[in-house]
Amino acid sequence: MELEDDIRDGVQGAFTRKPDAQEMGSLVELSHAVGCRKVVVGFPAASPQELDLCRSVIARVAALRRDRPIIVLLARSVIDDVAPIIDLAGASGVEVRAELYIGVSPVRMHVEGWSLEVVQERLHRTGAHLHASGTPFGVSLEDASRAPAELLERLCAIAVDVGCESVTLCDTVGELTPDGAERLTRFVRGLLDRRERPVELVWHGHNDKGLAVANALAAARAGADTVSGAFLGLGERAGNTPLEQIAVLLSQSGNTRLNLGAIAPYARALAECAGHSIPPSTPIVGRQAFATGAGTHSAAILKARALGPEWEDHIFSGVAASSLGARQEIIVGPLAGRHAVAHVLGQLGYRATERQQEELIAFARTRREGLTSAEILAFLARQPADRRG
């Protein structure tokens, strides 16, 4: 199972800041460090600025001496859209792929005024043009989760016949449940497997119903080769499949090609570039993901720590913090107990007396949130000299 990082889709959210070319180049490198084989960076026919961004990112990737990611560029099924991609692919020395996206649901086709004949003809003509140019390409079936089976069958046949490398099933509005994602993927997997050559099957789901991760796992079980999404779950409306969660789940399933320790640096950089903060309770990358302020839980974690990291990481966590370069954090707050207070004071260089512990616990319980190290030190500094450690 591979990961495709669709940064371009992630940063087109309505309240997301779009990275500039330098930032995008850095994000591509950080994404590849995690282990993403393909990275979607832009839509070069959209504007001169977008073309410049794509050119700049490709040049940066070309300068890398180590293994390089595949750069994916978006296009409609229109010859004019793929012309700049063909030029960029031919001049870069980097593997650049075009990704033709095409709306395939009846509701989308009706709203756009497209006929099935026109959709088929555009896909055939543009795909054949890319194939003749020697530019590898994939086909994204937008809104595939609301398309009839016979339409998907026709378009998959055309896509494979004109030489596509991959077919992407898009649950564009997060319509499906895991059962639906599994059945849709299994159906299209069967269509592709009956063709004469292997074609990569990609799952791209949105999180409108909060089911993006569950749907991606169902698609993987049903035969998808790649999960496409965005780190931090960025994207339009409720966002895309959060790839940091998929990466951890794949690693727990035995995938050894992913570098989980590179996730947190990438997530922080992406949040900054996109103008977002990371909510504390965000799985894997939120500050609270490996922190506790509850007295009984803190005590159990500290007892487990004495037995070794393998115990500490699992007593109150389904994810090993150490696999991500992190550690379980103990917070002194309104629910803290003596074990937590003694531990935190020890970390700050204080050998706490029982009286100090009780006073700090009493102070913490007057607060509504956890204390920072600075606040704890300030509290201790206010104590009479004969009561300091």
Side-chain angles (χ1 to χ4, degrees):
M1 175 62 64
E2 301 283 354
L3 296 182
E4 176 185 88
D5 186 4
D6 196 339
I7 302 178
R8 174 58 164 75
D9 200 12
V11 299
Q12 68 179 19
F15 304 110
T16 299
R17 174 182 172 273
K18 186 181 181 209
D20 61 25
Q22 182 174 353
E23 291 170 330
M24 183 67 85
S26 295
L27 294 177
V28 169
E29 290 189 40
L30 288 166
S31 173
H32 191 51
V34 174
C36 295
R37 186 172 66 95
K38 294 187 292 180
V39 184
V40 185
V41 301
F43 180 8
S47 68
Q49 294 80 11
E50 189 83 348
L51 175 59
D52 287 343
L53 180 147
C54 294
R55 184 180 291 113
S56 175
V57 170
I58 290 169
R60 180 163 178 165
V61 171
L64 296 176
R65 295 183 179 180
R66 60 184 183 276
D67 183 35
R68 299 166 177 168
I70 297 168
I71 298 300
V72 180
L73 304 178
L74 302 174
R76 298 168 298 176
S77 294
V78 179
I79 298 294
D80 287 348
D81 274 16
V82 301
I85 299 176
I86 293 171
D87 290 341
L88 289 169
S92 66
V94 174
E95 184 173 352
V96 175
R97 291 192 189 182
E99 187 72 19
L100 303 178
Y101 66 87
I102 183 165
V104 297
S105 66
V107 63
R108 179 69 189 280
M109 293 174 68
H110 177 75
V111 168
E112 298 286 356
W114 298 332
S115 68
L116 177 57
E117 291 72 22
V118 168
V119 168
Q120 292 180 131
E121 190 275 332
R122 286 179 178 174
L123 176 57
H124 188 281
R125 180 159 50 92
T126 310
H129 181 71
L130 282 164
H131 185 64
S133 74
T135 306
F137 70 97
V139 174
S140 285
L141 301 176
E142 191 177 71
D143 216 5
S145 52
R146 298 193 291 180
E150 58 273 15
L151 189 150
L152 294 176
E153 187 169 8
R154 287 190 192 183
L155 294 178
C156 283
I158 294 172
V160 175
D161 287 346
V162 295
C164 77
E165 302 282 341
S166 62
V167 169
T168 299
L169 291 175
C170 300
D171 185 20
T172 302
V173 299
E175 171 69 12
L176 294 177
T177 63
D179 179 64
E182 184 171 352
R183 286 188 286 124
L184 174 60
T185 305
R186 183 165 286 115
F187 170 71
V188 176
R189 177 81 273 169
L191 296 178
L192 298 178
D193 287 347
R194 289 194 291 272
R195 311 302 295 185
E196 294 181 354
R197 61 182 181 82
V199 176
E200 178 186 9
L201 181 57
V202 182
W203 174 264
H204 180 93
H206 282 250
N207 202 35
D208 297 67
K209 296 178 181 177
L211 294 172
V213 171
N215 288 344
L217 294 178
R221 285 194 301 269
D225 301 299
T226 299
V227 172
S228 171
F231 282 80
L232 300 179
L234 295 182
E236 290 188 280
R237 305 181 313 282
N240 290 280
T241 304
L243 288 187
E244 68 276 6
Q245 295 181 41
I246 299 298
V248 167
L249 291 167
L250 289 177
S251 180
Q252 290 182 337
S253 298
N255 188 317
T256 60
R257 296 189 299 275
L258 298 170
N259 178 12
L260 300 188
I263 290 177
Y266 178 30
R268 289 192 294 267
L270 178 61
E272 182 176 356
C273 290
H276 283 260
S277 59
I278 302 176
S281 59
T282 303
I284 313 304
V285 294
R287 187 187 172 203
Q288 189 174 279
F290 303 109
T292 185
T296 56
H297 291 184
S298 298
I301 290 171
L302 292 171
K303 292 172 185 176
R305 181 172 293 177
L307 298 175
E310 68 277 11
W311 292 90
E312 174 188 339
D313 260 342
H314 296 294
I315 183 66
F316 272 111
S317 182
V319 177
S322 57
S323 70
L324 294 148
R327 196 177 188 189
Q328 304 293 335
E329 183 181 6
I330 305 299
I331 303 297
V332 173
L335 301 178
R338 185 173 295 175
H339 282 88
V341 167
H343 169 73
V344 171
L345 287 175
Q347 284 190 317
L348 294 174
Y350 282 80
R351 287 182 294 178
T353 65
E354 288 189 12
R355 185 173 184 176
Q356 280 181 308
Q357 294 176 28
E358 294 296 339
E359 289 176 345
L360 184 55
I361 289 171
F363 174 61
R365 288 175 179 170
T366 68
R367 303 291 296 269
R368 299 177 64 186
E369 59 187 2
L371 298 172
T372 65
S373 296
E375 289 171 329
I376 293 173
L377 290 172
F379 171 79
L380 293 170
R382 292 195 297 269
Q383 304 311 302
D386 63 343
R387 286 159 59 184
R388 298 179 192 171

